[in-house]
Amino acid sequence: MDNTQISAAVWRPAEQWQADDTAVELRLKVMRRHPRNAMIGIAVSLVLALVVSAFRPHVSALSVVFVLNAVRLVVVGVRHQVRFGRWLTAAKDLLVGNPSQRVAARIVTHKGDRTVLAVGPMHLRVLPVSWGMRQVIARTGEITMVGPDAEGNAVVFVDSQPRPLTAKVVEAPAPTEPEPIARTSANGAEDEVPQWYARRHARIQLIPFVGLFLVYGALIYDAQQRTFLPGFAGFYVFLLVVSTIFGITRVFGQMRLSTLLAAGQWQAHPVTVEAWKGDERRPFADLTLVMGPPGGQHRILVKHASVELVANISATGTLWMIGLPKDRKAAAVGVPGHPVVAAARFA
């Protein structure tokens, strides 16, 4: 197996006016919108619970499921506000007019998605930092930083990742054992960070199905109690079956990312971005690219493309691909050695 390492140009923030970077601004909007999304989800769940209860004299398992989902969203919303609420206000000021600094960084310790970096004489607690991001930091030995301000707040960027990371100056912690550096390779099967991302991405796609199966279970239990009005359970089952079928068709390509990565070697192709349908409500959306010279151009449709993938292609004019999407068969696209992967096909 070829284990030749690949060096790929990636997105990095501009030296100044980071908030003018559309990818950075989009990620900030997603973070700001999170509490609003949680409130909408809470309201919808409670309304559904009330509607279900109106059709029977006693508390149903289905209404309990909806109430528990509302409670879950309350916890998620509060946790997000505690972690990012005050920092988002500081980040807004930091990212307007303050120059970014390319600085050497070393991972001192990490727990969960919290990582402490040694940056010169300072120590920064940074979150959320995934395993893939830690691998990029460990391999490059650098980050891009804006700040800190008078209260110790800073904004950190990892190469290829336009998401601003929360950073705070802290006291030096006790160091932990360094993680092994992941292998990078021109061979997609041996490029460990994209493979990690593909497996993680596939697991995330399964989360909505857990909720669907809980609703299925609650419906079955309530149907056995024979307290629903005629046709009510059937209507809900119909909606759930349609939702399940739609969900399976939507995530099918995402579940195959690891297999698509293992199908060959990374190859670089010059492309231009024609359209991307993402926004703060959907940071993953269909991306249309144009590849090839005039007269022999092909349009490539990348399903469920992240803002990270769009930012890297826009910054470098390059699409890294394993295989060629043809005959409606998918191929893997992304950035070698980085947690940026998606499935593509010719449009």
Side-chain angles (χ1 to χ4, degrees):
M1 301 289 284
D2 181 14
N3 187 37
T4 304
Q5 292 191 357
I6 258 186
S7 178
V10 297
W11 174 91
R12 286 180 181 174
E15 293 181 0
Q16 202 164 13
W17 307 110
Q18 287 81 10
D20 282 357
D21 187 308
T22 55
V24 173
E25 184 59 30
L26 179 56
R27 275 301 179 190
L28 284 170
K29 286 180 179 179
V30 170
M31 295 176 74
R32 295 187 193 111
R33 188 182 175 87
H34 192 279
R36 177 185 175 186
N37 291 341
M39 292 298 295
I40 293 173
I42 292 166
V44 170
S45 295
L46 292 177
V47 168
L48 288 173
L50 289 172
V51 170
V52 171
S53 299
F55 285 91
R56 56 179 300 165
H58 306 292
V59 175
S60 69
L62 189 57
S63 63
V64 170
V65 168
F66 288 137
V67 170
L68 289 176
N69 186 57
V71 172
R72 179 189 68 85
L73 290 172
V74 169
V75 173
V76 169
V78 170
R79 181 172 181 264
H80 180 274
Q81 197 63 20
V82 169
R83 300 180 95 197
F84 305 114
R86 294 181 63 184
W87 174 84
L88 279 169
T89 301
K92 182 179 180 180
D93 295 330
L94 282 167
L95 290 175
V96 177
N98 290 304
S100 63
Q101 310 167 57
R102 188 72 180 170
V103 294
R106 176 177 55 85
I107 297 173
V108 178
T109 184
H110 67 87
K111 183 178 181 181
D113 66 354
R114 295 173 182 263
T115 297
V116 176
L117 301 176
V119 180
M122 291 188 305
H123 285 78
L124 291 177
R125 184 186 64 233
V126 185
L127 66 104
V129 182
S130 65
W131 178 85
M133 288 183 180
R134 291 201 304 272
Q135 286 295 322
V136 174
I137 296 171
R139 189 171 69 240
T140 61
E142 294 180 326
I143 58 169
T144 302
M145 180 178 70
V146 184
D149 62 15
E151 296 183 358
N153 294 303
V155 181
V156 163
F157 293 96
V158 177
D159 287 2
S160 81
Q161 305 293 306
R163 174 175 180 168
L165 300 177
T166 308
K168 181 80 172 180
V169 177
V170 295
E171 297 294 328
T176 56
E177 187 73 20
E179 292 178 295
I181 302 296
R183 177 187 299 180
T184 61
S185 175
N187 189 318
E190 299 177 356
D191 200 0
E192 293 183 350
V193 173
Q195 280 286 355
W196 164 85
Y197 178 90
R199 292 190 294 268
R200 176 176 179 263
H201 186 68
R203 291 193 298 271
I204 291 173
Q205 304 310 303
L206 294 176
I207 292 175
F209 291 98
V210 174
L212 281 175
F213 290 138
L214 285 174
V215 174
Y216 273 124
L219 272 174
I220 292 171
Y221 175 83
D222 288 336
Q224 290 174 342
Q225 305 306 306
R226 300 180 181 277
T227 52
F228 277 132
L229 290 178
F232 179 77
F235 173 72
Y236 256 90
V237 168
F238 171 76
L239 289 180
L240 286 171
V241 169
V242 171
S243 299
T244 303
I245 293 173
F246 174 78
I248 290 173
T249 58
R250 185 185 68 83
V251 306
F252 179 73
Q254 315 306 317
M255 303 297 292
R256 298 177 57 231
L257 275 176
S258 183
T259 302
L260 295 173
L261 279 171
Q265 305 277 321
W266 286 110
Q267 298 290 332
H269 303 274
V271 295
T272 55
V273 175
E274 184 175 86
W276 183 60
K277 300 178 181 179
D279 54 31
E280 64 268 22
R281 294 170 298 175
R282 297 186 308 159
F284 290 82
D286 290 352
L287 167 67
T288 305
L289 303 169
V290 177
M291 181 177 74
Q297 291 182 333
H298 298 282
R299 280 183 172 80
I300 297 177
L301 178 64
V302 182
K303 303 295 292 184
H304 209 62
S306 66
V307 62
E308 284 75 25
L309 178 64
V310 179
N312 280 276
I313 294 173
S314 299
T316 65
T318 301
L319 173 69
W320 286 93
M321 188 185 311
I322 294 178
L324 288 174
K326 56 184 179 180
D327 300 328
R328 297 189 177 182
K329 295 181 180 179
V333 300
V335 181
H338 292 261
V340 183
V341 188
R345 64 178 173 83
F346 279 122

